[in-house]
Amino acid sequence: MSGRITGDRGLRPDPEDQRPLDLRGAQGVMVGSGRQRNIFIKYLVELPRSIKVVLLLLLCLAVIAGGGWIVSRWIIPQIAPTYRTQFLVDTAKGTDPRGASDIAASVRTTVGNSGDGDALALRTFGGACGASDNTRRLVDFTTDDRRELAQATEGIRAAGEPTLVRGIVEAVQDFSRPFDLSATQMNRVIVITRHGADACDDDIGFVENEIRDRIRAAGLRLEFRVVGYQVPKAERDGLRRIAAGAGAPDPLLVDTLPELEAAVDWYANDEPVLRGARKVVDALNPAVEQVDAAVRAIDEGRFEAAEGHLRTARGADPRVRAVLEDLSGRTKNPTERDINARATQLRDRQRRVIEAADELLDAERSRTAGGPEPRTAYRRAADAYNTEAEALNKTLAKLRAESPVAT
């Protein structure tokens, strides 16, 4: 097909002309009754090669950056674990030959109660100073088969000297390997030790600084919790300083197997439940205060301000959604199930408060309130929210009271 370009009217085909059509310099091609605009990268073609390479590299980087934002913003949160928890357990020789097996039993119990979204790992410490195997990662982080971790604990035997510092240092490294998915809420190491001194580093000041520097260098948001099991009294102060170096609270010191199981389970399972429920309350309470501010603005006839307050209140819902999803996987005992149900109900009550305020705003705007119905509905919704918030707070207070840790 051939033809000619006429001004900006596009291509007018001549059925008698069979010469090849030259479209160089054309700005538009008429197709049927519509118009198609062809953009030719004329100026890019005419640029020097070095400039073109730079521009194309910048374009590629922009595409990669955009894809990276999508991956970090949407994809990674969907596949990353909620918590990554590593159990760092003492397998060095101690005064009680059953101590190592007690620690293993406490870990097995805790793993069975863990949240569905948790990635769990197991590392041991204990051996000869300077030996490459005086700390070993037995199980890497996994959210799937918990039987592997439970089975690994069955092979734990007491041997060697306590190499606690190297165990902590290597545990930090376990969280900083390339391509690892960081936890969406918290990375944690739960140290379970029968010793408060390191056989290879007896300078406790050096030990504190070494641990602190390693954690800082890793650039991680990493939380340590320390449980001391049958730790000799002479070593307890040293263990406190080691915990302080890791940024952990004072160690929880216990002497019996039931106390040990309760302590490890509290840190691994109950503490995340308590933290998650607090996040829900802390996000929803200010949102309800925004709704109250919206209702005051409605009473004063400031409808646009009321809309702004309600918009802010709605912003709390996405923030609590991931927390509620995590709590729904932590329902292994009656208290956890109760907290999950109450936190979910509180979110639903908050939604109803916003809906009732919306209805009140619409009624006042259209001046079709026709009576106290919208305001009564709002007051009823607010009262229901307050009742549910009080019930959840009482449940959380009960959980804290049962904790082996002073909170």
Side-chain angles (χ1 to χ4, degrees):
M1 182 175 67
S2 63
R4 56 193 175 89
I5 302 297
T6 307
D8 64 351
R9 295 179 60 79
L11 181 65
R12 300 294 184 182
D14 181 352
E16 301 298 326
D17 191 348
Q18 300 299 316
R19 290 174 300 172
L21 181 64
D22 185 357
L23 290 177
R24 288 176 294 180
Q27 295 299 310
V29 178
M30 183 70 73
V31 180
S33 60
R35 175 180 289 257
Q36 174 183 338
R37 297 290 294 178
N38 296 330
I39 299 174
F40 299 95
I41 314 178
K42 174 182 177 181
Y43 299 107
L44 177 60
V45 172
E46 294 175 353
L47 286 173
R49 185 176 186 278
S50 60
I51 302 297
K52 287 191 287 184
V53 169
V54 171
L55 290 176
L56 289 172
L57 284 174
L58 289 173
L59 178 61
C60 291
L61 288 173
V63 171
I64 292 171
W69 180 87
I70 292 171
V71 169
S72 63
R73 177 67 177 83
W74 298 106
I75 297 177
I76 288 180
Q78 298 301 318
I79 61 177
T82 309
Y83 280 76
R84 280 205 303 169
T85 301
Q86 183 178 84
F87 299 97
L88 177 61
V89 304
D90 185 350
T91 60
K93 291 180 294 185
T95 55
D96 186 345
R98 297 172 302 177
S101 60
D102 285 353
I103 289 176
S106 71
V107 172
R108 284 195 296 273
T109 299
T110 297
V111 168
N113 295 332
S114 62
D116 296 340
D118 290 357
L120 306 178
L122 176 65
R123 175 177 283 277
T124 63
F125 68 87
C129 294
S132 60
D133 63 348
N134 63 18
T135 178
R136 296 185 299 150
R137 188 175 68 241
L138 299 186
V139 179
D140 205 353
F141 292 103
T142 178
T143 57
D144 299 324
D145 191 356
R146 305 294 168 80
R147 290 175 299 180
E148 179 186 3
L149 196 150
Q151 289 169 358
T153 64
E154 295 175 357
I156 288 178
R157 299 290 182 271
E161 300 300 319
T163 54
L164 175 56
V165 174
R166 183 150 186 268
I168 291 176
V169 168
E170 292 301 319
V172 173
Q173 295 304 115
D174 289 340
F175 285 85
S176 8
R177 290 174 297 165
F179 309 111
D180 273 359
L181 290 176
S182 184
T184 57
Q185 291 199 32
M186 187 62 69
N187 299 300
R188 301 184 300 165
V189 178
I190 299 177
V191 182
I192 313 170
T193 179
R194 293 187 294 153
H195 300 84
D198 190 283
C200 310
D201 293 294
D202 56 3
D203 184 343
I204 192 64
F206 170 80
V207 166
E208 280 184 280
N209 291 330
E210 174 75 3
I211 294 172
R212 190 178 292 114
D213 291 345
R214 292 286 186 146
I215 295 172
R216 186 183 301 113
L220 292 168
R221 187 178 175 220
L222 184 58
E223 181 179 88
F224 275 83
R225 296 292 184 262
V226 181
V227 179
Y229 181 51
Q230 299 176 345
V231 175
K233 290 184 178 180
E235 298 180 8
R236 292 185 177 186
D237 185 60
L239 185 59
R240 292 187 183 95
R241 294 183 64 179
I242 290 174
D250 277 350
L252 184 55
L253 301 172
V254 295
D255 294 309
T256 68
L257 179 57
E259 290 174 339
L260 175 63
E261 291 179 339
V264 176
D265 196 61
W266 167 264
Y267 280 141
N269 299 318
D270 291 337
E271 192 174 52
V273 170
L274 186 63
R275 174 181 288 152
R278 287 290 352 149
K279 283 185 177 181
V280 172
V281 173
D282 291 344
L284 294 184
N285 280 351
V288 171
E289 291 173 3
Q290 286 290 323
V291 180
D292 282 341
V295 172
R296 290 194 297 271
I298 292 171
D299 292 341
E300 297 166 3
R302 297 183 296 112
F303 299 144
E304 289 186 4
E307 281 186 341
H309 287 300
L310 291 175
R311 189 162 48 248
T312 302
R314 291 188 193 95
D317 195 88
R319 295 199 301 273
V320 303
R321 189 177 302 128
V323 180
L324 289 175
E325 288 176 0
D326 178 60
L327 287 177
S328 69
R330 300 184 185 279
T331 55
K332 305 300 190 299
N333 63 52
T335 300
E336 291 176 354
R337 287 192 289 272
D338 186 27
I339 289 174
N340 172 59
R342 290 192 180 281
T344 303
Q345 182 76 348
L346 188 67
R347 191 271 310 270
D348 295 341
R349 298 292 191 194
Q350 186 253 9
R351 286 176 172 176
R352 179 55 195 141
V353 169
I354 295 176
E355 290 172 359
D358 270 328
E359 293 165 3
L360 178 61
L361 175 59
D362 291 341
E364 293 292 337
R365 244 182 182 159
S366 62
R367 300 191 180 280
T368 59
E373 289 82 3
R375 194 168 298 276
T376 300
Y378 168 74
R379 189 69 264 160
R380 188 182 299 116
D383 289 344
Y385 174 88
N386 291 334
T387 299
E388 196 62 49
E390 183 179 357
L392 177 57
N393 284 328
K394 287 181 178 178
T395 304
L396 296 180
K398 179 182 178 184
L399 179 61
R400 283 193 297 268
E402 295 172 350
S403 162
V405 184
T407 57

